[in-house]
Amino acid sequence: MSTPQLVLASASPRRRELIARLGIAPDHINPADIDETPHKAERARDYATRMAREKAEAAAEDAAHVLAGDTVVALGRRILPKAEDEATARACLELLSGRRHVVLSAIALRAPDGSMQERLSETKVRFKRLTAQEIDAYIASGEWHGKAGGYAIQGAAEGLIAWISGSHSGVVGLPLFETRSVLKSAGFPIG
């Protein structure tokens, strides 16, 4: 029996690096381009799962499994945006300073027959109380650009995080435990 084909529905280099840790290389990269606007009153966990599912559907290819993911930073019921400008990144960091928040990382694996497996990783994270100088230095780094909640845990922000409970790889963008489970059940060879 041959190994199934795998399409990664993401252009994220971090997701490619993370999936490589499982010994898997996607056969094809097909970034999904969908509307990522949360629905009115949509809960963060429902939003993350919906985004992963919709990305997997949008990137569907014949005879291939499609793996998609989405990572959401939530502060209470509030879904924080992906920071596309300095003002948004600064606002996110000021909100997160000294507070605990949740990072939800959803994955969806769409099989060639259209069936879908989904998993959700929930990680609690707390930043130290950030000084204005620390926020300024992090903004100057540029690492925040395009990142949910305005930070990348795999960079300089890791030194500002006082506590984490859950999946570090999920906060980076692809929860490896959940991803491994889904891929293994679909017949991908994983050690």
Side-chain angles (χ1 to χ4, degrees), residues 133-146:
Q133 294 81 10
E134 288 168 329
I135 291 174
D136 289 343
Y138 191 71
I139 295 296
S141 77
E143 285 182 355
W144 52 266
H145 191 266

Side-chain angles (χ1 to χ4, degrees), residues 57 66 90 93 105 118 150 152 183:
E57 288 291 349
V66 178
R90 185 176 301 280
L93 291 171
S105 192
E118 301 169 0
L183 290 173

Side-chain angles (χ1 to χ4, degrees), residues 126-171:
R126 186 173 65 80
F127 271 91
K128 69 179 278 311
R129 181 150 315 274
L130 302 173
T131 66
Q133 294 81 10
E134 288 168 329
I135 291 174
D136 289 343
Y138 191 71
I139 295 296
S141 77
E143 285 182 355
W144 52 266
H145 191 266
K147 304 298 187 294
Y151 74 94
I153 197 171
Q154 69 274 19
E158 192 165 12
L160 303 174
I161 292 173
W163 178 84
I164 179 172
S165 176
S167 172
H168 185 274
S169 62
V171 179

Side-chain angles (χ1 to χ4, degrees), residues 56-181:
E57 288 291 349
E61 293 186 13
D62 291 340
H65 286 76
V66 178
L67 179 67
D70 196 69
T71 302
V72 173
V73 174
L75 187 61
R77 293 187 54 94
R78 183 176 184 176
I79 297 171
L80 297 186
K82 287 184 182 174
E84 298 298 340
D85 56 54
E86 287 186 15
T88 302
R90 185 176 301 280
C92 287
L93 291 171
E94 288 170 353
L95 281 171
L96 296 173
S97 176
R99 298 174 75 183
R100 189 169 84 172
H101 62 280
V102 175
V103 179
L104 300 156
S105 192
I107 59 160
L109 182 69
R110 183 189 185 280
D113 67 5
S115 63
M116 191 83 67
Q117 291 187 60
E118 301 169 0
R119 300 285 188 281
L120 181 69
S121 165
E122 181 174 326
T123 304
K124 294 175 179 72
V125 180
R126 186 173 65 80
F127 271 91
K128 69 179 278 311
R129 181 150 315 274
L130 302 173
T131 66
Q133 294 81 10
E134 288 168 329
I135 291 174
D136 289 343
Y138 191 71
I139 295 296
S141 77
E143 285 182 355
W144 52 266
H145 191 266
K147 304 298 187 294
Y151 74 94
I153 197 171
Q154 69 274 19
E158 192 165 12
L160 303 174
I161 292 173
W163 178 84
I164 179 172
S165 176
S167 172
H168 185 274
S169 62
V171 179
V172 176
L174 189 71
L176 291 181
F177 178 81
E178 291 80 359
T179 302
R180 181 183 190 280
S181 171

Side-chain angles (χ1 to χ4, degrees), residues 18-57:
L18 287 167
I19 200 168
R21 293 181 190 174
L22 297 176
I24 301 278
D27 296 292
H28 186 70
I29 305 291
N30 185 10
D33 184 20
I34 63 169
D35 178 7
E36 296 191 35
T37 306
H39 294 158
K40 185 177 173 121
E42 186 171 29
R43 293 176 4 160
R45 62 187 321 101
D46 297 332
Y47 171 70
T49 303
R50 179 175 64 84
M51 288 294 94
R53 184 175 47 251
E54 288 183 10
K55 288 175 182 180
E57 288 291 349

